[in-house]
Amino acid sequence: MKYLSIAVSLLLLSAASMPLVALAQQAPAHDGPPPRAQEGGPPGWGHGPGPGGPGAQGLPPFLRGIALSEAQQDKVFAATYAQAPLLREQQKIAFKADEQLHALAASSAYDDAKASALANTAAHAMAQIRLLQARLEQQLLAVLTPEQRKQAEQQRDSRPGPRRPQ
């Protein structure tokens, strides 16, 4: 049972740390947290021309191409940037726990209890990140008109990539 718990923790950690691995590969050195975007919104969000247009500066992918009023843009901006420090803190926690777990796994002083705690810390931080993202998405959808929500849903359905079972 103990080994099953460890295996599940490591599986969760590896699945949850995939975005961090991609960010870590971009980092010039492993002595700090992953880099973050200097302009626009959080990493992975659009950085393109003009407010509200396709690839608009700082907009999440599901809002690209949707014409937003200035008031809507202000609300999106406020919600996005209010959440940025919370996301950043969880990213740092997950990154540090992942780094420590890799170092522990490679060391001669491996401690299973410490490895399990680090895996749980990283998994919890990744879960918090996903929860923050879901909350933000809900806040941003609430800013949209019914017609704009329909556009966002159509864009989500037409995006390439894996689909969730319905």
Side-chain angles (χ1 to χ4, degrees):
M1 188 68 181
K2 179 180 177 183
Y3 293 109
L4 179 61
S5 174
I6 293 169
V8 169
S9 294
L10 290 175
L11 182 61
L12 282 172
L13 173 65
S14 64
S17 65
M18 286 304 195
L20 292 174
V21 170
L23 289 173
Q25 290 175 347
Q26 296 173 1
H30 290 289
D31 59 351
R36 50 180 256 185
Q38 296 299 316
E39 296 179 12
W45 286 23
H47 302 289
Q57 183 95 4
L59 290 180
F62 74 93
L63 289 181
R64 289 185 193 149
I66 297 175
L68 300 175
S69 70
E70 188 172 333
Q72 287 174 316
Q73 290 175 32
D74 290 344
K75 289 178 183 175
V76 167
F77 177 87
T80 302
Y81 283 90
Q83 190 185 65
L86 302 171
L87 277 172
R88 178 74 174 146
E89 187 60 33
Q90 292 302 315
Q91 288 172 339
K92 290 191 311 188
I93 291 168
F95 183 81
K96 286 178 184 175
D98 191 47
E99 286 270 309
Q100 290 172 358
L101 183 61
H102 284 292
L104 182 63
S107 84
S108 60
Y110 178 81
D111 179 4
D112 204 45
K114 187 170 183 178
S116 179
L118 288 169
N120 287 334
T121 298
H124 184 262
M126 292 304 295
Q128 288 298 314
I129 289 169
R130 185 60 195 117
L131 180 61
L132 288 168
Q133 290 171 337
R135 284 181 186 153
L136 179 61
E137 184 173 339
Q138 187 58 47
Q139 288 175 339
L140 298 183
L141 286 173
V143 168
L144 302 179
T145 66
E147 182 179 304
Q148 289 171 327
R149 273 188 234 121
K150 189 174 183 179
Q151 283 179 312
E153 187 177 316
Q154 288 171 346
Q155 283 184 359
R156 192 174 290 144
D157 292 342
S158 67
R159 267 195 325 222
R163 301 277 185 250
R164 288 184 290 188
Q166 302 267 334

PDB file of all heavy atoms in Angstrom, residues 6-20:
ATOM      1  N   ILE A   6       3.181   5.961  -3.005  1.00  0.00           N
ATOM      2  CA  ILE A   6       4.353   6.629  -3.575  1.00  0.00           C
ATOM      3  C   ILE A   6       4.232   6.681  -5.097  1.00  0.00           C
ATOM      4  O   ILE A   6       4.493   7.716  -5.715  1.00  0.00           O
ATOM      5  CB  ILE A   6       5.651   5.913  -3.148  1.00  0.00           C
ATOM      6  CG1 ILE A   6       5.857   6.087  -1.648  1.00  0.00           C
ATOM      7  CG2 ILE A   6       6.845   6.446  -3.926  1.00  0.00           C
ATOM      8  CD1 ILE A   6       6.949   5.215  -1.079  1.00  0.00           C
ATOM      9  N   ALA A   7       3.820   5.579  -5.689  1.00  0.00           N
ATOM     10  CA  ALA A   7       3.684   5.523  -7.147  1.00  0.00           C
ATOM     11  C   ALA A   7       2.634   6.513  -7.628  1.00  0.00           C
ATOM     12  O   ALA A   7       2.855   7.221  -8.625  1.00  0.00           O
ATOM     13  CB  ALA A   7       3.320   4.105  -7.592  1.00  0.00           C
ATOM     14  N   VAL A   8       1.526   6.597  -6.923  1.00  0.00           N
ATOM     15  CA  VAL A   8       0.481   7.540  -7.305  1.00  0.00           C
ATOM     16  C   VAL A   8       0.986   8.968  -7.145  1.00  0.00           C
ATOM     17  O   VAL A   8       0.753   9.820  -8.005  1.00  0.00           O
ATOM     18  CB  VAL A   8      -0.804   7.297  -6.467  1.00  0.00           C
ATOM     19  CG1 VAL A   8      -1.792   8.428  -6.649  1.00  0.00           C
ATOM     20  CG2 VAL A   8      -1.437   5.975  -6.845  1.00  0.00           C
ATOM     21  N   SER A   9       1.696   9.255  -6.051  1.00  0.00           N
ATOM     22  CA  SER A   9       2.242  10.596  -5.841  1.00  0.00           C
ATOM     23  C   SER A   9       3.213  10.971  -6.954  1.00  0.00           C
ATOM     24  O   SER A   9       3.169  12.090  -7.480  1.00  0.00           O
ATOM     25  CB  SER A   9       2.963  10.676  -4.496  1.00  0.00           C
ATOM     26  OG  SER A   9       2.059  10.530  -3.444  1.00  0.00           O
ATOM     27  N   LEU A  10       4.082  10.053  -7.317  1.00  0.00           N
ATOM     28  CA  LEU A  10       5.048  10.341  -8.380  1.00  0.00           C
ATOM     29  C   LEU A  10       4.362  10.495  -9.730  1.00  0.00           C
ATOM     30  O   LEU A  10       4.763  11.336 -10.539  1.00  0.00           O
ATOM     31  CB  LEU A  10       6.115   9.246  -8.435  1.00  0.00           C
ATOM     32  CG  LEU A  10       7.090   9.233  -7.249  1.00  0.00           C
ATOM     33  CD1 LEU A  10       8.034   8.045  -7.343  1.00  0.00           C
ATOM     34  CD2 LEU A  10       7.874  10.526  -7.185  1.00  0.00           C
ATOM     35  N   LEU A  11       3.334   9.700  -9.978  1.00  0.00           N
ATOM     36  CA  LEU A  11       2.589   9.822 -11.218  1.00  0.00           C
ATOM     37  C   LEU A  11       1.901  11.179 -11.291  1.00  0.00           C
ATOM     38  O   LEU A  11       1.950  11.855 -12.315  1.00  0.00           O
ATOM     39  CB  LEU A  11       1.555   8.695 -11.330  1.00  0.00           C
ATOM     40  CG  LEU A  11       0.730   8.668 -12.603  1.00  0.00           C
ATOM     41  CD1 LEU A  11       1.634   8.476 -13.810  1.00  0.00           C
ATOM     42  CD2 LEU A  11      -0.287   7.558 -12.543  1.00  0.00           C
ATOM     43  N   LEU A  12       1.276  11.594 -10.200  1.00  0.00           N
ATOM     44  CA  LEU A  12       0.636  12.906 -10.150  1.00  0.00           C
ATOM     45  C   LEU A  12       1.658  14.018 -10.343  1.00  0.00           C
ATOM     46  O   LEU A  12       1.417  14.987 -11.064  1.00  0.00           O
ATOM     47  CB  LEU A  12      -0.099  13.110  -8.826  1.00  0.00           C
ATOM     48  CG  LEU A  12      -1.435  12.421  -8.690  1.00  0.00           C
ATOM     49  CD1 LEU A  12      -1.954  12.558  -7.268  1.00  0.00           C
ATOM     50  CD2 LEU A  12      -2.429  12.998  -9.676  1.00  0.00           C
ATOM     51  N   LEU A  13       2.786  13.880  -9.692  1.00  0.00           N
ATOM     52  CA  LEU A  13       3.830  14.892  -9.824  1.00  0.00           C
ATOM     53  C   LEU A  13       4.304  14.994 -11.265  1.00  0.00           C
ATOM     54  O   LEU A  13       4.433  16.086 -11.807  1.00  0.00           O
ATOM     55  CB  LEU A  13       5.014  14.576  -8.912  1.00  0.00           C
ATOM     56  CG  LEU A  13       6.234  15.474  -9.094  1.00  0.00           C
ATOM     57  CD1 LEU A  13       5.888  16.899  -8.698  1.00  0.00           C
ATOM     58  CD2 LEU A  13       7.389  14.971  -8.305  1.00  0.00           C
ATOM     59  N   SER A  14       4.569  13.865 -11.889  1.00  0.00           N
ATOM     60  CA  SER A  14       5.079  13.918 -13.258  1.00  0.00           C
ATOM     61  C   SER A  14       4.033  14.490 -14.207  1.00  0.00           C
ATOM     62  O   SER A  14       4.368  15.285 -15.087  1.00  0.00           O
ATOM     63  CB  SER A  14       5.542  12.534 -13.720  1.00  0.00           C
ATOM     64  OG  SER A  14       4.438  11.648 -13.774  1.00  0.00           O
ATOM     65  N   ALA A  15       2.778  14.144 -14.018  1.00  0.00           N
ATOM     66  CA  ALA A  15       1.732  14.687 -14.886  1.00  0.00           C
ATOM     67  C   ALA A  15       1.530  16.176 -14.636  1.00  0.00           C
ATOM     68  O   ALA A  15       1.351  16.958 -15.569  1.00  0.00           O
ATOM     69  CB  ALA A  15       0.419  13.938 -14.661  1.00  0.00           C
ATOM     70  N   ALA A  16       1.570  16.561 -13.375  1.00  0.00           N
ATOM     71  CA  ALA A  16       1.325  17.961 -13.035  1.00  0.00           C
ATOM     72  C   ALA A  16       2.516  18.857 -13.355  1.00  0.00           C
ATOM     73  O   ALA A  16       2.362  20.057 -13.515  1.00  0.00           O
ATOM     74  CB  ALA A  16       0.977  18.082 -11.556  1.00  0.00           C
ATOM     75  N   SER A  17       3.711  18.287 -13.444  1.00  0.00           N
ATOM     76  CA  SER A  17       4.889  19.121 -13.656  1.00  0.00           C
ATOM     77  C   SER A  17       5.241  19.302 -15.130  1.00  0.00           C
ATOM     78  O   SER A  17       6.209  19.986 -15.439  1.00  0.00           O
ATOM     79  CB  SER A  17       6.085  18.545 -12.895  1.00  0.00           C
ATOM     80  OG  SER A  17       6.436  17.293 -13.422  1.00  0.00           O
ATOM     81  N   MET A  18       4.474  18.740 -16.044  1.00  0.00           N
ATOM     82  CA  MET A  18       4.787  18.891 -17.465  1.00  0.00           C
ATOM     83  C   MET A  18       4.876  20.357 -17.886  1.00  0.00           C
ATOM     84  O   MET A  18       5.821  20.724 -18.590  1.00  0.00           O
ATOM     85  CB  MET A  18       3.768  18.155 -18.338  1.00  0.00           C
ATOM     86  CG  MET A  18       3.938  16.672 -18.298  1.00  0.00           C
ATOM     87  SD  MET A  18       5.618  16.261 -18.762  1.00  0.00           S
ATOM     88  CE  MET A  18       5.447  14.553 -19.076  1.00  0.00           C
ATOM     89  N   PRO A  19       3.924  21.233 -17.477  1.00  0.00           N
ATOM     90  CA  PRO A  19       4.092  22.639 -17.863  1.00  0.00           C
ATOM     91  C   PRO A  19       5.369  23.249 -17.280  1.00  0.00           C
ATOM     92  O   PRO A  19       6.001  24.080 -17.915  1.00  0.00           O
ATOM     93  CB  PRO A  19       2.863  23.331 -17.273  1.00  0.00           C
ATOM     94  CG  PRO A  19       1.867  22.254 -17.063  1.00  0.00           C
ATOM     95  CD  PRO A  19       2.670  21.010 -16.801  1.00  0.00           C
ATOM     96  N   LEU A  20       5.753  22.814 -16.093  1.00  0.00           N
ATOM     97  CA  LEU A  20       6.972  23.340 -15.486  1.00  0.00           C
ATOM     98  C   LEU A  20       8.207  22.866 -16.235  1.00  0.00           C
ATOM     99  O   LEU A  20       9.184  23.599 -16.351  1.00  0.00           O
ATOM    100  CB  LEU A  20       7.061  22.921 -14.016  1.00  0.00           C
ATOM    101  CG  LEU A  20       6.025  23.551 -13.103  1.00  0.00           C
ATOM    102  CD1 LEU A  20       6.117  22.956 -11.714  1.00  0.00           C
ATOM    103  CD2 LEU A  20       6.209  25.044 -13.054  1.00  0.00           C
TER     104      LEU A  20
END
